[in-house]
Amino acid sequence: MNIAVYCGSSSGNDPGFTQAAKELGKWIGENGHTLVYGGASKGLMGAVAGAVIEAGGKVIGVIPDVAIIQARKYTGLTELIETGSMAERKSKMIELADAFVALPGGIGTLDEITEVMSLCSLSIIKAPIVLFNTNDYYRPLKAVLDNVINAEFGRPEYFSNVLLSDDLNEIAGHLSGVAF
């Protein structure tokens, strides 16, 4: 399975974020899956990619032609795909992925994972989605999603494929066993 992982190119202020990225990367690599991610060598991006590589897995980096991002390019990946823009990068990552995970990250991470949620709610793609909830990082986003449903701007089935969890075993089961 190709698993797109969205996350920060910085590490954030909690060592638990990096630990979760490494655990997820190790699981991806040890279980024969391929990581699809933003191609950076720093922060959580670098941690998850490094852990996949260390575990013997494959890593596909998708990196846009943006100077600040190019400066953080991870060398030694299985494959590096360069795109002309951030929009092309998002599109390519979605095209390549069978499942989607958001580790903690900033606005870019939120943009990417909510686009995937939107596409799934419209049945444009069908895939499991995970909000890797390290130290309750995604609890506020879950409250927003619940509010979308409560205010009747969305239906529960729009989010039936979304798991909020910090338990790697539960996450692995969701990624492997969700039927759509």
Side-chain angles (χ1 to χ4, degrees), residues 67-129:
I68 193 169
I69 298 172
Q70 286 282 333
R72 299 176 181 173
K73 186 186 312 184
Y74 201 124
T75 57
L77 302 177
T78 309
E79 183 178 357
L80 185 67
I81 299 169
E82 298 199 34
T83 64
S85 69
M86 292 293 287
E88 288 175 28
R89 174 172 108 172
K90 284 195 314 181
S91 180
K92 187 60 158 177
M93 287 178 69
I94 291 168
E95 174 189 322
L96 292 171
D98 303 306
F100 302 87
V101 176
L103 286 162
I107 296 300
T109 301
L110 293 174
D111 172 49
E112 291 162 325
I113 201 65
T114 55
E115 180 170 341
V116 170
M117 283 186 221
S118 178
L119 293 172
C120 284
S121 75
L122 297 169
S123 297
I124 294 170
I125 61 174
K126 295 180 183 208
I129 298 169

Side-chain angles (χ1 to χ4, degrees), residues 36-61:
V36 177
Y37 87 116
S41 62
K42 306 282 187 212
L44 300 187
M45 283 192 189
V48 71
V52 173
I53 292 167
E54 198 172 293
K58 295 179 182 176
V59 178
I60 300 171

Side-chain angles (χ1 to χ4, degrees), residues 25-32 49-58:
K26 182 179 177 187
W27 176 83
I28 289 170
E30 287 179 347
N31 287 279
V52 173
I53 292 167
E54 198 172 293
K58 295 179 182 176

